Amino acid sequence: MAGNIGNAKIYPEYCKAGIDYVRVGMNTGSLASKDYGFYSPMASLLLDILGTKSTMIGVTKHTKIIADGGIADAVDILKCIALGADYVMLGRQFVKLVEASGTIYRKDSSKTDIQIEVTREEAVQLLKQYGSKAELHRIYYGEHNPSFQTQVKVTGLLSTWLANLQEKCNYAFTMVNATDWETYKKNVKFGRVQ
């Protein structure tokens, strides 16, 4: 696997080099673009690569595309797949789940600047009781770099996230008359808006 690429013209070079997978996306993650000040919009980049793939004559191997960065929810996953991604890489979406690695904290209601560590079991109970008002969070290091450290709100459980993903996928497949991902990709209609 190689990456990241932020220009569709590079994709054929990865194919020619025999690379199996390429991460596509340049600083589109939730933390990176604010520090670097530039990024390549994921949808535009994937659409450009899709156009490039159709012109690649004589290339025997198409490197698999992994959309990486700025994927906020199930709808973004569906968009990336529709625009040609073979896989989607998620970071922050899983950090928001109780089951993710890392300590979960809640604010001490009597002292605004004090954080109290809670167990996973306590976090589940607090989410059931208060929902999004539970004010649970954990520290997240984007790109494994302490300079990207931020607090991420803990919002739910993996089972709920997966059920939502399945619901959105079922709906999307129904809308385009698909029963598998290849048919989904083939049947989705989209256009570029300038």
Short mmCIF file of all heavy atoms in Angstrom, two decimals, residues 66-103:
data_model
loop_
_atom_site.label_atom_id
_atom_site.label_comp_id
_atom_site.label_asym_id
_atom_site.label_seq_id
_atom_site.Cartn_x
_atom_site.Cartn_y
_atom_site.Cartn_z
N ILE A 66 -8.23 3.41 -1.81
CA ILE A 66 -8.73 3.56 -0.45
C ILE A 66 -8.96 5.05 -0.21
O ILE A 66 -8.00 5.82 -0.17
CB ILE A 66 -7.74 3.01 0.59
CG1 ILE A 66 -7.44 1.54 0.30
CG2 ILE A 66 -8.30 3.20 2.00
CD1 ILE A 66 -6.28 0.99 1.13
N ALA A 67 -10.22 5.47 -0.08
CA ALA A 67 -10.52 6.87 0.23
C ALA A 67 -10.16 7.10 1.70
O ALA A 67 -10.62 6.38 2.57
CB ALA A 67 -11.99 7.15 -0.01
N ASP A 68 -9.33 8.11 1.95
CA ASP A 68 -8.82 8.33 3.30
C ASP A 68 -8.84 9.81 3.64
O ASP A 68 -8.10 10.59 3.08
CB ASP A 68 -7.39 7.79 3.39
CG ASP A 68 -6.76 8.03 4.75
OD1 ASP A 68 -7.49 8.22 5.73
OD2 ASP A 68 -5.51 8.02 4.82
N GLY A 69 -9.72 10.17 4.56
CA GLY A 69 -9.75 11.54 5.07
C GLY A 69 -11.07 12.23 4.87
O GLY A 69 -11.64 12.23 3.79
N GLY A 70 -11.58 12.78 5.96
CA GLY A 70 -12.81 13.57 5.88
C GLY A 70 -14.09 12.77 5.74
O GLY A 70 -15.12 13.33 5.39
N ILE A 71 -14.05 11.48 6.02
CA ILE A 71 -15.25 10.64 5.92
C ILE A 71 -16.02 10.81 7.23
O ILE A 71 -15.58 10.35 8.28
CB ILE A 71 -14.89 9.16 5.69
CG1 ILE A 71 -13.83 9.00 4.59
CG2 ILE A 71 -16.14 8.34 5.42
CD1 ILE A 71 -14.20 9.50 3.24
N ALA A 72 -17.17 11.46 7.16
CA ALA A 72 -17.89 11.83 8.38
C ALA A 72 -18.99 10.85 8.78
O ALA A 72 -19.34 10.77 9.94
CB ALA A 72 -18.48 13.23 8.25
N ASP A 73 -19.57 10.14 7.81
CA ASP A 73 -20.70 9.28 8.15
C ASP A 73 -20.95 8.25 7.05
O ASP A 73 -20.20 8.17 6.08
CB ASP A 73 -21.97 10.10 8.41
CG ASP A 73 -22.33 11.01 7.24
OD1 ASP A 73 -22.03 10.66 6.08
OD2 ASP A 73 -22.92 12.07 7.48
N ALA A 74 -22.02 7.47 7.23
CA ALA A 74 -22.34 6.40 6.27
C ALA A 74 -22.60 6.95 4.87
O ALA A 74 -22.24 6.31 3.87
CB ALA A 74 -23.56 5.62 6.77
N VAL A 75 -23.19 8.11 4.77
CA VAL A 75 -23.46 8.70 3.46
C VAL A 75 -22.16 9.02 2.73
O VAL A 75 -22.04 8.79 1.53
CB VAL A 75 -24.35 9.96 3.61
CG1 VAL A 75 -24.51 10.68 2.28
CG2 VAL A 75 -25.71 9.57 4.17
N ASP A 76 -21.15 9.50 3.46
CA ASP A 76 -19.84 9.77 2.84
C ASP A 76 -19.21 8.47 2.34
O ASP A 76 -18.56 8.46 1.29
CB ASP A 76 -18.90 10.45 3.83
CG ASP A 76 -19.26 11.90 4.08
OD1 ASP A 76 -20.01 12.48 3.27
OD2 ASP A 76 -18.78 12.46 5.08
N ILE A 77 -19.38 7.40 3.08
CA ILE A 77 -18.86 6.10 2.64
C ILE A 77 -19.51 5.71 1.32
O ILE A 77 -18.82 5.33 0.36
CB ILE A 77 -19.12 5.02 3.71
CG1 ILE A 77 -18.30 5.30 4.96
CG2 ILE A 77 -18.81 3.62 3.16
CD1 ILE A 77 -18.66 4.43 6.16
N LEU A 78 -20.82 5.83 1.24
CA LEU A 78 -21.55 5.49 0.02
C LEU A 78 -21.11 6.37 -1.15
O LEU A 78 -20.97 5.88 -2.27
CB LEU A 78 -23.05 5.59 0.25
CG LEU A 78 -23.63 4.50 1.13
CD1 LEU A 78 -25.00 4.90 1.67
CD2 LEU A 78 -23.71 3.19 0.38
N LYS A 79 -20.89 7.64 -0.90
CA LYS A 79 -20.44 8.54 -1.96
C LYS A 79 -19.07 8.13 -2.47
O LYS A 79 -18.83 8.11 -3.69
CB LYS A 79 -20.39 9.98 -1.45
CG LYS A 79 -21.74 10.61 -1.22
CD LYS A 79 -21.56 11.99 -0.61
CE LYS A 79 -22.88 12.62 -0.22
NZ LYS A 79 -22.68 13.92 0.46
N CYS A 80 -18.16 7.82 -1.57
CA CYS A 80 -16.80 7.44 -1.97
C CYS A 80 -16.81 6.17 -2.82
O CYS A 80 -16.13 6.09 -3.84
CB CYS A 80 -15.90 7.24 -0.74
SG CYS A 80 -15.45 8.78 0.07
N ILE A 81 -17.60 5.19 -2.40
CA ILE A 81 -17.70 3.94 -3.18
C ILE A 81 -18.31 4.23 -4.55
O ILE A 81 -17.82 3.74 -5.58
CB ILE A 81 -18.52 2.88 -2.41
CG1 ILE A 81 -17.89 2.54 -1.06
CG2 ILE A 81 -18.74 1.63 -3.26
CD1 ILE A 81 -16.58 1.81 -1.12
N ALA A 82 -19.36 5.05 -4.58
CA ALA A 82 -20.00 5.39 -5.86
C ALA A 82 -19.04 6.10 -6.80
O ALA A 82 -19.12 5.92 -8.02
CB ALA A 82 -21.23 6.27 -5.60
N LEU A 83 -18.11 6.88 -6.25
CA LEU A 83 -17.17 7.64 -7.07
C LEU A 83 -15.90 6.86 -7.40
O LEU A 83 -14.96 7.42 -7.94
CB LEU A 83 -16.81 8.94 -6.36
CG LEU A 83 -17.96 9.95 -6.28
CD1 LEU A 83 -17.59 11.10 -5.36
CD2 LEU A 83 -18.31 10.48 -7.67
N GLY A 84 -15.88 5.55 -7.07
CA GLY A 84 -14.78 4.72 -7.52
C GLY A 84 -13.87 4.15 -6.46
O GLY A 84 -12.96 3.37 -6.79
N ALA A 85 -14.04 4.53 -5.19
CA ALA A 85 -13.20 3.95 -4.15
C ALA A 85 -13.55 2.47 -3.97
O ALA A 85 -14.71 2.08 -4.07
CB ALA A 85 -13.39 4.69 -2.83
N ASP A 86 -12.53 1.67 -3.75
CA ASP A 86 -12.76 0.26 -3.45
C ASP A 86 -12.95 0.05 -1.95
O ASP A 86 -13.64 -0.87 -1.52
CB ASP A 86 -11.55 -0.57 -3.93
CG ASP A 86 -11.39 -0.47 -5.44
OD1 ASP A 86 -12.26 -0.97 -6.16
OD2 ASP A 86 -10.40 0.14 -5.88
N TYR A 87 -12.32 0.92 -1.16
CA TYR A 87 -12.39 0.84 0.29
C TYR A 87 -12.45 2.27 0.84
O TYR A 87 -12.08 3.22 0.16
CB TYR A 87 -11.16 0.14 0.88
CG TYR A 87 -10.94 -1.23 0.31
CD1 TYR A 87 -10.06 -1.44 -0.76
CD2 TYR A 87 -11.61 -2.34 0.83
CE1 TYR A 87 -9.86 -2.70 -1.28
CE2 TYR A 87 -11.41 -3.60 0.31
CZ TYR A 87 -10.54 -3.78 -0.75
OH TYR A 87 -10.35 -5.02 -1.26
N VAL A 88 -12.86 2.38 2.10
CA VAL A 88 -12.90 3.67 2.77
C VAL A 88 -12.22 3.51 4.12
O VAL A 88 -12.51 2.56 4.85
CB VAL A 88 -14.35 4.16 2.95
CG1 VAL A 88 -14.39 5.47 3.71
CG2 VAL A 88 -15.03 4.32 1.59
N MET A 89 -11.31 4.43 4.44
CA MET A 89 -10.61 4.39 5.71
C MET A 89 -11.27 5.39 6.67
O MET A 89 -11.54 6.52 6.29
CB MET A 89 -9.13 4.75 5.50
CG MET A 89 -8.28 4.54 6.72
SD MET A 89 -6.53 4.85 6.36
CE MET A 89 -6.08 3.35 5.48
N LEU A 90 -11.54 4.92 7.88
CA LEU A 90 -12.20 5.76 8.87
C LEU A 90 -11.31 5.91 10.09
O LEU A 90 -10.68 4.96 10.52
CB LEU A 90 -13.53 5.14 9.31
CG LEU A 90 -14.56 4.89 8.22
CD1 LEU A 90 -15.69 4.05 8.75
CD2 LEU A 90 -15.08 6.20 7.69
N GLY A 91 -11.30 7.08 10.68
CA GLY A 91 -10.55 7.31 11.91
C GLY A 91 -11.47 7.84 12.99
O GLY A 91 -11.93 7.12 13.87
N ARG A 92 -11.79 9.10 12.88
CA ARG A 92 -12.56 9.78 13.91
C ARG A 92 -13.91 9.10 14.18
O ARG A 92 -14.37 9.09 15.32
CB ARG A 92 -12.78 11.22 13.51
CG ARG A 92 -13.50 12.02 14.59
CD ARG A 92 -13.61 13.46 14.21
NE ARG A 92 -12.32 14.09 14.33
CZ ARG A 92 -12.10 15.16 15.07
NH1 ARG A 92 -13.06 15.70 15.74
NH2 ARG A 92 -10.91 15.68 15.15
N GLN A 93 -14.53 8.53 13.17
CA GLN A 93 -15.84 7.91 13.39
C GLN A 93 -15.78 6.78 14.41
O GLN A 93 -16.70 6.57 15.18
CB GLN A 93 -16.43 7.40 12.07
CG GLN A 93 -16.78 8.51 11.12
CD GLN A 93 -17.61 9.59 11.77
OE1 GLN A 93 -18.67 9.33 12.34
NE2 GLN A 93 -17.12 10.82 11.75
N PHE A 94 -14.67 6.05 14.41
CA PHE A 94 -14.53 4.96 15.39
C PHE A 94 -14.05 5.47 16.74
O PHE A 94 -14.38 4.89 17.77
CB PHE A 94 -13.62 3.87 14.85
CG PHE A 94 -14.26 3.09 13.75
CD1 PHE A 94 -13.69 3.04 12.49
CD2 PHE A 94 -15.45 2.40 13.95
CE1 PHE A 94 -14.30 2.32 11.47
CE2 PHE A 94 -16.06 1.69 12.94
CZ PHE A 94 -15.49 1.65 11.70
N VAL A 95 -13.30 6.57 16.76
CA VAL A 95 -12.86 7.14 18.03
C VAL A 95 -14.07 7.61 18.84
O VAL A 95 -14.04 7.62 20.06
CB VAL A 95 -11.87 8.31 17.78
CG1 VAL A 95 -11.51 9.02 19.06
CG2 VAL A 95 -10.62 7.79 17.09
N LYS A 96 -15.15 7.96 18.17
CA LYS A 96 -16.36 8.44 18.84
C LYS A 96 -17.14 7.32 19.53
O LYS A 96 -18.11 7.59 20.23
CB LYS A 96 -17.29 9.11 17.83
CG LYS A 96 -16.75 10.40 17.27
CD LYS A 96 -17.74 10.97 16.27
CE LYS A 96 -17.29 12.30 15.73
NZ LYS A 96 -18.28 12.86 14.80
N LEU A 97 -16.75 6.08 19.33
CA LEU A 97 -17.49 4.95 19.89
C LEU A 97 -16.91 4.52 21.23
O LEU A 97 -15.70 4.57 21.45
CB LEU A 97 -17.47 3.78 18.91
CG LEU A 97 -18.04 4.09 17.51
CD1 LEU A 97 -17.88 2.89 16.60
CD2 LEU A 97 -19.48 4.53 17.60
N VAL A 98 -17.78 4.04 22.10
CA VAL A 98 -17.38 3.60 23.44
C VAL A 98 -16.30 2.53 23.36
O VAL A 98 -15.35 2.52 24.13
CB VAL A 98 -18.61 3.08 24.23
CG1 VAL A 98 -18.18 2.40 25.53
CG2 VAL A 98 -19.57 4.22 24.53
N GLU A 99 -16.41 1.63 22.39
CA GLU A 99 -15.50 0.48 22.31
C GLU A 99 -14.09 0.83 21.84
O GLU A 99 -13.19 0.00 21.92
CB GLU A 99 -16.08 -0.59 21.35
CG GLU A 99 -17.38 -1.20 21.80
CD GLU A 99 -18.61 -0.43 21.32
OE1 GLU A 99 -18.48 0.73 20.85
OE2 GLU A 99 -19.70 -0.98 21.41
N ALA A 100 -13.88 2.02 21.35
CA ALA A 100 -12.57 2.41 20.83
C ALA A 100 -11.52 2.43 21.94
O ALA A 100 -11.84 2.53 23.12
CB ALA A 100 -12.65 3.78 20.16
N SER A 101 -10.29 2.36 21.53
CA SER A 101 -9.18 2.40 22.48
C SER A 101 -9.05 3.81 23.05
O SER A 101 -9.33 4.80 22.38
CB SER A 101 -7.90 2.01 21.75
OG SER A 101 -6.81 2.09 22.60
N GLY A 102 -8.62 3.89 24.28
CA GLY A 102 -8.39 5.19 24.91
C GLY A 102 -9.35 5.44 26.06
O GLY A 102 -10.43 4.88 26.13
N THR A 103 -8.92 6.29 26.94
CA THR A 103 -9.68 6.60 28.15
C THR A 103 -10.85 7.51 27.83
O THR A 103 -10.71 8.46 27.05
CB THR A 103 -8.76 7.30 29.18
OG1 THR A 103 -7.62 6.46 29.40
CG2 THR A 103 -9.48 7.53 30.50
#
